[in-house]
């Protein structure tokens, strides 16, 4: 069984200018990768950040993402009704880099924004609360996620092809409150949980992977979440969230 080490305070060791590779329990507050790639033009082409989220209740599943690729930004969301098993709404949008951005700093936490004529996304951390607001045709969501009320995050820092490196932080089973308007109906996020994926890396031109993220209840009612990946970061980010831990 792979053992998780305590998370370091930074993703890069400044003494040797190298990423601190491994699997960790907890968040890495400083994920600045500038020491690994000081050339601004190269970072513009290679540095990628994204935030993905999943909001799950007994009634529906909502997923959303804002992706900052440096030279272009994209965002998407969908809502799926569990009763009847049908898609309520979905949308995907691209925009110039000035209209989409994902950043995380020690001082301000996570910030993501995306603006498009047909869609607006705003994700903002305030202390230990993450506010999630987005609107697109047929789907509007307002949610508040409690970052400190679930299991600790699983963070993986891994090498990629060439001199690439990436950090990914997975959170699961976080309490969430709010509402979702989809297909003309309003759904309250009662007894709902959230899963989050924040990733930041210096990526090669082509990256492929298969990813599965599940959160739900065992037969005895105990909550669990499972994160599995093939390719990209690999086994460093495979993990089970259960019993308040990862």
């Amino acid at each position: 069984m792979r053992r998780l080490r305590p998370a370091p305070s930074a993703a890069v060791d400044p003494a040797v200018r190298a990423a601190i590779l491994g699997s960790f329990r907890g968040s890495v507050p400083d994920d600045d990768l500038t020491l690994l790639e000081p050339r601004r033009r190269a970072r513009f082409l290679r540095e990628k950040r994204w935030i993905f989220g999943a909001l799950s209740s007994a009634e529906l599943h909502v997923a959303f993402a804002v992706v900052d690729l440096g030279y272009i930004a994209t965002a998407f969301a969908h809502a799926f009704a569990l009763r009847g098993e049908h898609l309520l709404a979905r949308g995907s949008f691209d925009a110039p880099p000035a209209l989409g951005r994902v950043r995380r700093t020690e001082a301000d936490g996570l910030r993501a924004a995306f603006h498009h004529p047909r869609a607006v996304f705003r994700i903002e951390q305030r202390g230990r609360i993450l506010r999630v607001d987005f609107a697109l045709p047929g789907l509007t969501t307002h949610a508040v996620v409690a970052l400190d009320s679930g299991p600790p995050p699983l963070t993986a820092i891994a090498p990629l092809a060439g001199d690439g490196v990436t950090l990914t932080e997975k959170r699961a089973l976080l309490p969430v409150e709010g509402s979702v308007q989809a297909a003309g109906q309003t759904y309250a996020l009662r007894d709902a949980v959230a899963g989050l994926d924040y990733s930041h890396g210096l990526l090669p031109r082509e990256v492929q992977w298969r990813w599965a993220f599940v959160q739900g209840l065992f037969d005895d009612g105990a909550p669990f979440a499972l994160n599995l990946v093939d390719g990209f970061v690999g086994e460093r980010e495979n993990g089970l969230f259960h019993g308040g831990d990862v």
Side-chain angles (χ1 to χ4, degrees):
M1 179 181 294
R2 188 177 81 255
R3 291 186 177 274
L4 300 178
R5 292 183 284 153
S9 60
V12 177
D13 183 342
V16 295
R17 293 176 174 261
I20 303 172
L21 306 177
S23 299
F24 308 99
R25 176 184 285 102
S27 183
V28 176
D30 179 3
D31 61 289
D32 189 353
L33 303 178
T34 304
L35 284 176
L36 302 182
E37 181 51 270
R39 298 170 299 173
R40 183 175 298 181
R41 181 176 181 275
R43 289 203 312 275
F44 175 76
L45 295 174
R46 299 179 57 202
E47 194 167 21
K48 323 295 180 192
R49 297 178 177 89
W50 62 82
I51 175 67
F52 169 91
L55 311 177
S56 305
S57 74
E59 292 185 294
L60 81 165
H61 172 81
V62 176
F64 62 90
V66 178
V67 183
D68 182 349
L69 298 177
Y71 47 82
I72 193 172
T74 188
F76 66 81
H78 69 252
F80 184 83
L82 301 182
R83 189 172 300 167
E85 298 184 349
H86 62 282
L87 192 65
L88 297 170
R90 66 177 178 182
S92 178
F93 310 89
D94 296 324
L99 300 181
R101 183 178 175 90
V102 178
R103 290 292 184 273
R104 191 177 74 169
T105 65
E106 290 187 78
D108 299 327
L110 177 65
R111 299 283 190 275
F114 181 88
H115 299 275
H116 185 276
R118 301 180 65 230
V120 176
F121 290 72
R122 186 174 184 86
I123 301 163
E124 183 174 324
Q125 184 177 346
R126 299 178 182 174
R128 306 314 299 163
I129 295 295
L130 187 71
R131 299 192 62 89
V132 177
D133 300 284
F134 59 86
L136 56 144
L139 177 59
T140 300
T141 297
H142 301 290
V144 177
V145 180
L147 297 176
D148 273 352
S149 299
L154 167 62
T155 299
I157 304 176
L160 301 176
D163 59 351
V165 66
T166 192
L167 171 148
T168 185
E169 178 184 292
K170 300 297 193 292
R171 293 176 179 263
L173 305 176
L174 303 173
V176 58
E177 297 180 348
S179 64
V180 177
Q181 293 179 321
Q185 274 191 279
T186 299
Y187 299 85
L189 292 172
R190 298 190 185 94
D191 300 319
V193 292
L196 300 171
D197 166 13
Y198 167 74
S199 295
H200 175 203
L202 298 170
L203 274 58
R205 180 177 174 83
E206 294 186 5
V207 181
Q208 296 182 2
W209 71 96
R210 292 180 293 179
W211 178 46
F213 177 79
V214 178
Q215 53 186 0
L217 301 174
F218 285 120
D219 290 341
D220 62 2
F224 79 97
L226 189 63
N227 188 81
L228 296 173
V229 67
D230 177 38
F232 196 32
V233 178
E235 66 177 15
R236 281 182 173 88
E237 69 164 285
N238 290 342
L240 172 68
F241 298 81
H242 175 55
D245 202 357
V246 57

